[in-house]
Amino acid sequence: MGAVLDYTIAKLSPHTGAEVRGIDLREPLATAERDRLNRAFVDHSVLVFRDQKPSAPQLLAAMQQFGDVLQQHNTKFALPECPQIHYISNQDKYPDGSRYIAGAGYHTDHSNAVEPPKATILCAVSLPDSGGDTQYVNMHEAYDSLSAAMQTRMTDAKAIHVYQSRYSERKLIALPNTAKVPDSVAHPLVRTHPESGRKALYLNPIRTEGIVGMDDAEGLPLLDELLAHAVQEKHQYRHRWEPGDVVMWDNRCLLHKANGDYDMNQVRYLYRVMLQGDTPV
Ligand SMILES: [Fe+2]
């Protein structure tokens, strides 16, 4: 049991994001605090813990209070001293020497897993002076604003997710030979949030290759149409990073993307943790 603290949770936009101030994640949370924060996480989909300074093991311990840690797919990015945490850095390059911006292009993390992560957490270690925002799309809002006819059409539809879709505009850095990822998995295009019961569109243009039972001529334009609908600005929350931010988001009901719109001579480096989720239904 940790101490009961005087902390605040404040909305960051009408539908997505809340800022938590007054908590030090290096200290264990009391059960009531953890429950309140978990409820806020489900309600707001993105929690921003301000003014944090955890070491990698402290971040890991803090996040284990919210769920089991998931082994991330590309172990090339694991921290040697704390391998359940990976890093994201703008100093990484493709084999041809061009710069790799992890997370560019809307996606939801590891959706090619049978049980994709419920949450991803990023902890800012080094940020550029400006830029590098993370953009989120609220897929509950995207589902709710679909036409009734489209909602009905999507009721039982499933999409096929693979590690890297041949239709993806962004190429991932190759997996090490030892990596184990499923060949292909089908997930519903509309999933029900296991904690809130709300429905959400579940798309991933990086990993989705088609719709079960539809040929590409039918399925691909439909995926494009759903994505274009989802990413409308009215469904977005754009996070501007501040030093000390730890951001935890809900992959079950969000798309996200990174922006490579800053001075690449400045280092952008973050720790990343993922928490185990369940099979989308
Ligand atoms: Fe991501």
Side-chain angles (χ1 to χ4, degrees), residues 234-265:
K234 66 180 179 180
H235 301 146
Q236 292 182 23
Y237 163 64
R238 184 171 183 131
H239 183 66
R240 292 188 173 77
W241 287 85
E242 294 180 11
D245 279 357
V246 170
V247 178
M248 176 165 77
W249 71 79
D250 193 333
N251 285 307
R252 299 167 293 191
C253 56
L254 297 171
L255 293 178
H256 63 279
K257 74 172 178 180
N259 278 276
D261 60 348
Y262 51 93
D263 178 356
M264 289 295 160
N265 292 315

Side-chain angles (χ1 to χ4, degrees), residues 111-143:
S111 69
N112 57 311
V114 175
E115 295 180 329
K118 71 171 183 178
T120 299
I121 299 96
L122 290 183
C123 171
V125 178
S126 179
L127 296 172
D129 294 340
S130 63
D133 298 349
T134 302
Q135 284 173 263
Y136 296 95
V137 171
N138 187 310
M139 301 298 267
H140 288 314
E141 297 287 316
Y143 174 79

Side-chain angles (χ1 to χ4, degrees), residues 103 107 109 249 256 272:
H107 64 285
D109 287 336
W249 71 79
H256 63 279
R272 182 170 80 169

Side-chain angles (χ1 to χ4, degrees), residues 60-237:
L60 185 65
M63 292 307 137
Q64 283 171 323
Q65 298 175 99
F66 294 99
D68 296 330
V69 172
L70 178 90
Q71 176 63 56
Q72 299 176 52
H73 285 172
N74 197 339
T75 50
K76 167 180 162 50
F77 300 107
L79 297 184
E81 71 279 18
C82 192
Q84 286 172 290
I85 295 190
H86 285 207
Y87 71 86
I88 287 176
S89 168
N90 67 335
Q91 304 305 303
D92 276 306
K93 305 273 174 65
Y94 287 105
D96 69 2
S98 61
R99 195 178 297 272
Y100 175 66
I101 298 299
Y106 277 117
H107 64 285
T108 177
D109 287 336
H110 286 30
S111 69
N112 57 311
V114 175
E115 295 180 329
K118 71 171 183 178
T120 299
I121 299 96
L122 290 183
C123 171
V125 178
S126 179
L127 296 172
D129 294 340
S130 63
D133 298 349
T134 302
Q135 284 173 263
Y136 296 95
V137 171
N138 187 310
M139 301 298 267
H140 288 314
E141 297 287 316
Y143 174 79
D144 290 348
S145 61
L146 283 175
S147 68
M150 186 62 95
Q151 287 180 344
T152 302
R153 189 176 177 199
M154 291 297 106
T155 300
D156 295 315
K158 291 192 167 192
I160 300 153
H161 298 248
V162 297
Y163 178 70
Q164 171 147 281
S165 168
R166 61 185 181 276
Y167 304 115
S168 171
E169 290 176 9
R170 173 165 68 96
K171 296 305 172 203
L172 304 172
I173 283 190
L175 289 166
N177 292 334
T178 52
K180 295 186 188 70
V181 299
D183 292 337
S184 153
V185 61
H187 289 312
L189 271 162
V190 176
R191 64 182 294 182
T192 302
H193 196 288
E195 295 183 73
S196 70
R198 270 187 94 183
K199 290 184 174 172
L201 266 181
Y202 194 58
L203 307 171
N204 190 350
I206 306 293
R207 304 201 193 268
T208 310
E209 284 214 314
I211 298 179
V212 176
M214 289 186 195
D215 58 25
D216 282 0
E218 185 184 9
L220 296 180
L222 183 52
L223 289 170
D224 287 345
E225 181 185 343
L226 291 169
L227 183 67
H229 168 81
V231 302
Q232 294 176 77
E233 200 164 343
K234 66 180 179 180
H235 301 146
Q236 292 182 23
Y237 163 64

